[in-house]
Amino acid sequence: MVDVKVNPFFLKVEQVKWVEDTLASMTLEEKVGQVFCPMGLTSEDEPLKHDVCKISVGGMMYRPGLKQEIQTTHRKIQNMAKIPLLLAANTEAGGNGLVVEGTTFGAPMAVAATGDVENAYRMGYTACAEGAAVGMNWSFAPIVDIDMEFHNPITNTRTFGSDVDRVIAYGEAYMRGADENDVAVSIKHFPGDGVDERDQHLGVSINSLNAERWMATYGKVYKTLIGKGAKTVMVGHIAQPEWVKKINPNATKEQTLLPASVNSELLTGLLRGELGFNGLISTDATPMIAFCTAMKRSQAIPAAIAAGADMILFNKSLDEDYGYLMAGIQEGVVSLERLDEAVTRILAVKASLHLPEKKAAGTIVPGPEALETVGCTQHRAWAKEVEDKAITLEG
């Protein structure tokens, strides 16, 4: 169902064997657990054992904390886990996205304003080197939205600007910095935020471009970065009516306004089909109001997986969401084949990052000496150059 030997996984024979053997050994319950990436809320043993050992979650993300504490917690999680976890962070503007002592590199728009694409590489390298020092292996960055509507409350300075080619160049440069630190990127927010004035935390955002213009802008960004090896794509609770109608001319108005996170035309038809993405699809944070505007959460969780998402990001209640997905499987909303496809991609990302080998060697989370990387002199000097250039431009 999934070719793990090609872009973006490029797995070798032994890695393919690990994916296949691991999938074959898993229970249905473990497979269901793998598709969840909850928010990390504690370092205490019992709650972590529940999520990591009983539910067998596939990933976890912590908000910024002290570097020693984050590293220790990440090590505890990976030691507990039967299958190594994707440990994520919002390192879209520097290492401060995971550790409070991390380097604040500046907003993407400030980096782009310097006119030097090398600064985007340095941002990606800094963010991911510092994240990797405490055990992160999955960056929820770079943001590759386009600043088409400056009133948009979410994108704006979080983008590399309004020029499509610049967004591509700076996004690719960030990816190079991540790759050099063995960190998977998550290009976001498909099918593209920044077109309207809506906030998807509060309601469904609408990417209203016609299919041709979308393909020349957002489509060009995603197709290029997918070709460059982006391992994961984060899907927003964003509608793209024109592409839904192009793929399914019989779609109702309600179907055209479904957010991409639960929309099979956009996930399977556009992202997988038209753009040829073979990697892992993650939803954006599902506690956002927009995720449940069209249906109850009990329906939306299985609907997202059935539509083509491979991983559910965050929960209101992990136990409830786990139950919703299990019920969706029992009711035939999600087929066992679709579940296996999702889990295969999750495992393939882990294999591509060498997590099984690192776990076996005890190096999946670096030792305390790696903490010297966080906020180091070189990273802060790079960030200061961006700050100085931004001030000069403003002046």
Side-chain angles (χ1 to χ4, degrees), residues 20-321:
E20 293 176 344
D21 289 351
T22 301
L23 183 69
S25 71
M26 294 172 72
T27 65
L28 173 62
E29 290 76 14
E30 288 172 331
K31 291 176 182 177
V32 170
Q34 278 293 295
V35 308
F36 291 105
C37 179
M39 180 74 75
L41 300 174
T42 181
S43 61
E44 295 179 6
D45 286 0
E46 290 310 308
L48 286 177
K49 286 179 180 177
H50 175 271
D51 292 358
V52 175
C53 302
K54 182 179 179 181
I55 300 294
S56 190
V57 296
M60 192 172 289
M61 191 196 94
Y62 279 82
R63 294 296 187 190
L66 296 172
K67 60 184 181 181
Q68 182 65 64
E69 294 176 2
I70 292 289
Q71 188 190 66
T72 299
T73 300
H74 279 170
R75 185 177 295 110
K76 180 186 292 188
I77 289 169
Q78 297 290 29
N79 287 340
M80 283 181 178
K82 177 182 176 182
I83 300 170
L85 273 71
L86 294 173
L87 295 176
N90 274 324
T91 51
E92 59 193 44
N96 63 320
L98 180 56
V99 288
V100 295
E101 303 99 324
T103 303
T104 301
F105 210 86
M109 190 170 284
V111 171
T114 67
D116 186 353
V117 73
E118 180 71 7
N119 286 325
Y121 161 77
R122 290 174 174 180
M123 179 170 69
Y125 187 94
T126 296
C128 295
E130 295 186 359
V134 298
M136 181 193 84
N137 50 48
W138 192 14
S139 172
F140 290 158
I143 295 173
V144 294
D145 294 318
I146 302 170
D147 188 37
M148 289 190 174
E149 171 51 71
F150 74 92
H151 290 113
N152 188 290
I154 297 302
T155 53
N156 203 277
T157 61
R158 291 175 72 207
T159 74
F160 290 117
S162 57
D163 181 85
V164 173
D165 291 332
R166 177 170 287 188
V167 170
I168 290 171
Y170 282 64
E172 182 185 351
Y174 184 106
M175 284 173 52
R176 284 193 290 109
D179 287 342
E180 290 181 17
N181 287 284
D182 223 6
V183 171
V185 299
S186 184
I187 53 178
K188 62 184 186 183
H189 307 83
F190 181 87
D193 209 348
V195 177
D196 65 3
E197 298 181 22
R198 295 176 178 87
D199 178 350
Q200 60 170 313
H201 294 79
L202 306 175
V204 177
S205 183
I206 309 291
N207 184 311
S208 57
L209 303 183
N210 64 40
E212 183 178 2
R213 189 176 178 214
W214 184 91
M215 190 57 81
T217 54
Y218 289 93
K220 183 179 179 181
V221 171
Y222 279 95
K223 193 171 184 66
T224 303
L225 297 183
I226 286 168
K228 296 292 184 180
K231 294 183 191 297
T232 81
V233 170
M234 183 183 291
V235 175
H237 313 306
I238 302 167
Q240 217 302 324
E242 296 305 313
W243 262 104
V244 173
K245 288 187 285 188
K246 185 176 178 65
I247 291 171
N248 179 11
N250 297 319
T252 65
K253 182 178 180 179
E254 288 73 20
Q255 288 174 311
T256 68
L257 294 175
L258 279 176
S261 45
V262 293
N263 193 315
S264 61
E265 281 82 8
L266 296 180
L267 297 186
T268 304
L270 179 55
L271 184 52
R272 293 274 186 230
E274 296 289 334
L275 300 181
F277 182 58
N278 185 45
L280 185 156
I281 297 175
S282 167
T283 70
D284 202 341
T286 60
M288 292 183 186
I289 292 173
F291 180 64
C292 293
T293 52
M295 60 191 80
K296 295 178 181 178
R297 190 172 184 87
S298 58
Q299 298 170 304
I301 292 295
I305 302 299
D310 303 308
M311 209 161 202
I312 301 292
L313 184 57
F314 307 161
N315 317 93
K316 290 187 174 181
S317 164
L318 176 59
D319 288 345
E320 281 188 356
D321 285 353

Side-chain angles (χ1 to χ4, degrees), residues 314-334:
F314 307 161
N315 317 93
K316 290 187 174 181
S317 164
L318 176 59
D319 288 345
E320 281 188 356
D321 285 353
Y322 179 93
Y324 294 151
L325 182 52
M326 188 64 77
I329 293 168
Q330 293 167 350
E331 294 164 6
V333 176
V334 179

